Amino acid sequence: MKTSISPNVGVATGEAVLPPLMPAATNAGLPMKGVVAVLLLGLLLPVVVHDEFILHSLIMVFYFAYLASAWNLMCGYVGQVSFGHSVFSGIGGYVSVLLLTAAGITPWLGMLVGGVLSAVVAVLIGYPTMRLRGPYFALTTIAFAEIIRIWFENTDTIFGIAIKGAEGLSVPLVGTDWTVFQFESKVPYYYIILVMLAIIVGMTAAMERSRLGACLKAIRGDRDAAESLGINPAKYTLMAYALSAFMTALGGSFYAMFIRYINPERNMGVELSIDMALMSIIGGQGTVIGPLVGALFLAPVAELSRTYLGGQLIGLHLVLYGLVLILAVLYLPKGLVHPLMRPWNVCKAGLARTFQLSKPFGGMSTRENLVVGGLVKNNDRRRSEAKADELLDFLGMSALARTDADDLTAFERRKVELGRALSTEPSLLLMDEVVAGATPQEAMIMVGLIKEIRNQGVTVLIIEHVMKVIMGLSDRVIVMHLGELIANGEPSSVVTQPDVLKAYFGGDYVEAGA
């Protein structure tokens, strides 16, 4: 049986006794820095790129990245695949177009009205279907979307307002300024969709850190376990569905105004829903930047294959498009963004770990082991050496600074590994059986070190068998037995639970106590 603990971020209650182990600000992930760089680069592109075709292509790439991100808000984070999101795009587009052409209302307001209406439709669809899982939910979304699309295709007027069925609506040119969402060049459209993309990426990042995001990820991980924590899956999924529908409708409104035309097939078809889903899944669903990466990869492939192959060998471009999808799914099942989160990148993002069997760098001194982590972090030799000396003092190993790591005792090797992890200035530290093989005195020394680390603001997650250590350190304890979660809560409550006692002492002990 293994027991894990995850103390909350600690707050020092007295004077700090060791140098700060981490900077005040948490480390931003490298992928997010890449996104910021891409968006900043995007701001400058129209200054140097004046070709209308290239601008049009970039607008479409950002448009699909936006839609995939909107789809990801619910489907990616909950793990429910929807093939009916295009209907929200169509509703948003039709509402903004009709309000402009029939009532002269600016499309900016029309976008919001369409978004709200789409969110209402999402709630109406989602309320009876949120308990469905997997393919049953996917098939239901297709059915609802197709019903609405077919109804639009066969309807000429709604409340006396012409929508012209399958023929669709053209958006007349009523001016060339921001109030009517019509411009002489593509540059304003480019910046609008770029800003929309930046907003939805920022919104996704904020959601991921919020209560909503945590609950959605818990539901995706294990619905039953989430319910056991008091999370109502239907409630949170419905909230995400409405938010996702609202944002999708804004994208649909943009597209209708950009193309100046809307019809059910183009704006509500299943093909559009599939594009949203595939770009998010292949890029990395349930991540902030996965949909953006997927769109940046797939949208140009689709556009180029359609442009250069679609008119020569009918269907060949679809075959190539499908092959790219198959290869991506086979070799990168977690999405294109996954390679960006390799262990070395995870460490740079603020997560460090120790191993069950400690792995100091042999052939290097104790001090050199600690310098390596600092060098990787900041590439500053002098600063890394100073940090290593501080950590050696913290670990009580200054006298062993020049000793080869291979000549250390098992407990000293474990402390070196701990110091090496701390040299990377983590915000989250994972520790695997840190007192395995230690004497009681050594175990207490390790407990004291971990408490000081926590008091410096580093969250610590430990997997450990020794209950005395766990109870002395933890703010929260999770107990697993044979791969199943049997307890989760504060130490004082977990230690009295029958399943825990049974797992440790056997059923006879529990029955005897009862």
Side-chain angles (χ1 to χ4, degrees):
M1 183 176 71
K2 288 191 173 185
T3 308
S4 61
I5 62 171
S6 56
N8 296 326
V9 174
V11 178
T13 55
E15 185 178 356
V17 296
L18 70 162
L21 300 174
M22 59 175 288
T26 55
N27 200 348
L30 291 179
M32 281 305 297
K33 292 179 181 177
V35 172
V36 173
V38 168
L39 293 176
L40 290 177
L41 179 63
L43 287 174
L44 301 176
L45 272 180
V47 178
V48 295
V49 176
H50 304 290
D51 186 285
E52 289 287 304
F53 174 75
I54 295 177
L55 281 177
H56 180 90
S57 299
L58 289 171
I59 290 170
M60 294 306 297
V61 170
F62 291 157
Y63 162 70
F64 278 112
Y66 174 88
L67 287 185
S69 297
W71 184 92
N72 184 54
L73 284 174
M74 194 284 282
C75 305
Y77 279 89
V78 177
Q80 291 273 49
V81 176
S82 165
F83 289 125
H85 258 56
S86 58
V87 73
F88 306 127
S89 168
I91 291 173
Y94 268 102
V95 169
S96 59
V97 170
L98 290 173
L99 288 177
L100 174 66
T101 56
I105 296 176
T106 173
W108 296 102
L109 180 59
M111 292 173 73
L112 298 178
V113 175
V116 171
L117 183 58
S118 292
V120 171
V121 172
V123 171
L124 295 176
I125 295 175
Y127 187 77
T129 60
M130 278 297 119
R131 294 188 180 278
L132 300 176
R133 305 186 188 186
Y136 301 103
F137 179 79
L139 291 173
T140 303
T141 58
I142 292 176
F144 274 112
E146 283 297 278
I147 289 170
I148 295 175
R149 182 186 65 80
I150 292 171
W151 182 77
F152 264 81
E153 282 188 345
N154 292 279
T155 303
D156 290 328
T157 61
I158 299 177
F159 303 119
I161 302 173
I163 61 171
K164 298 184 179 179
E167 178 186 349
L169 296 171
S170 296
V171 181
L173 185 63
V174 295
T176 54
D177 60 54
W178 286 84
T179 59
V180 292
F181 213 117
Q182 294 180 349
F183 311 99
E184 293 181 348
S185 77
K186 295 184 184 296
V187 174
Y189 293 106
Y190 173 90
Y191 280 118
I192 290 171
I193 193 62
L194 184 63
V195 170
M196 290 174 66
L197 179 59
I199 289 173
I200 200 165
V201 170
M203 177 185 295
T204 307
M207 190 188 79
E208 187 163 289
R209 294 177 174 82
S210 70
R211 175 190 174 95
L212 175 61
C215 292
L216 294 178
K217 287 188 285 187
I219 295 168
R220 182 185 62 192
D222 191 307
R223 191 182 182 100
D224 296 331
E227 289 177 335
S228 72
L229 290 176
I231 297 172
N232 183 337
K235 171 187 171 184
Y236 285 102
T237 305
L238 202 57
M239 290 170 61
Y241 198 24
L243 177 63
S244 177
F246 178 86
M247 300 305 292
T248 303
L250 299 189
S253 297
F254 167 83
Y255 184 75
M257 292 301 153
F258 174 57
I259 301 297
R260 293 181 188 168
Y261 175 74
I262 185 170
N263 74 347
E265 182 181 359
R266 176 179 292 188
N267 295 74
M268 289 182 163
V270 172
E271 186 178 344
L272 179 59
S273 294
I274 293 175
D275 280 338
M276 293 185 215
L278 287 180
M279 289 177 185
S280 181
I281 292 170
I282 290 176
Q285 62 175 328
T287 63
V288 176
I289 67 168
L292 174 60
V293 173
L296 290 176
F297 175 67
L298 283 181
V301 170
E303 193 66 24
L304 290 173
S305 61
R306 188 182 297 114
T307 301
Y308 293 104
L309 300 175
Q312 299 173 14
L313 297 171
I314 297 175
L316 179 59
H317 68 293
L318 296 177
V319 173
L320 293 177
Y321 188 46
L323 284 175
V324 171
L325 301 183
I326 292 171
L327 291 173
V329 171
L330 282 178
Y331 294 102
L332 294 169
K334 294 184 179 179
L336 299 174
V337 74
H338 182 65
L340 301 176
M341 297 303 292
R342 296 289 188 183
W344 47 88
N345 286 329
V346 172
C347 178
K348 291 176 182 177
L351 188 152
R353 63 162 297 181
T354 65
F355 296 87
Q356 183 176 3
L357 298 175
S358 54
K359 299 180 179 180
F361 300 133
M364 298 175 67
S365 71
T366 302
R367 187 172 185 261
E368 287 173 332
N369 266 268
L370 272 56
V371 169
V372 171
L375 276 176
V376 173
K377 183 73 177 181
N378 54 49
N379 198 27
D380 184 329
R381 183 81 193 185
R382 183 173 298 178
R383 179 181 168 186
S384 300
E385 290 177 344
K387 171 63 76 175
D389 291 337
E390 293 171 356
L391 288 170
L392 284 170
D393 182 56
F394 166 62
L395 296 169
M397 299 184 69
S398 296
L400 300 172
R402 297 182 182 278
T403 303
D404 193 302
D406 288 331
D407 297 330
L408 298 174
T409 67
F411 184 63
E412 289 168 345
R413 290 160 63 91
R414 196 170 292 281
K415 287 202 295 182
V416 169
E417 191 176 64
L418 173 60
R420 189 179 64 195
L422 294 175
S423 68
T424 64
E425 301 178 349
S427 56
L428 173 61
L429 177 62
L430 307 183
M431 306 184 76
D432 191 357
E433 298 192 23
V434 289
V435 298
T439 66
Q441 293 78 13
E442 290 171 340
M444 289 302 102
I445 292 174
M446 183 60 74
V447 168
L449 292 174
I450 295 172
K451 285 182 177 178
E452 293 295 347
I453 293 169
R454 184 185 65 174
N455 290 341
Q456 287 293 329
V458 180
T459 298
V460 182
L461 176 71
I462 303 177
I463 297 175
E464 184 54 69
H465 297 276
V466 182
M467 290 295 288
K468 186 176 180 180
V469 172
I470 294 297
M471 294 302 155
L473 281 172
S474 308
D475 296 315
R476 191 175 192 86
V477 177
I478 299 170
V479 184
M480 298 186 69
H481 181 54
L482 298 177
E484 294 184 0
L485 177 69
I486 61 174
N488 181 3
E490 295 180 356
S492 58
S493 65
V494 166
V495 76
T496 60
Q497 294 186 21
D499 286 343
V500 176
L501 295 174
K502 183 178 179 181
Y504 265 92
F505 303 109
D508 294 339
Y509 174 86
V510 176
E511 292 174 3

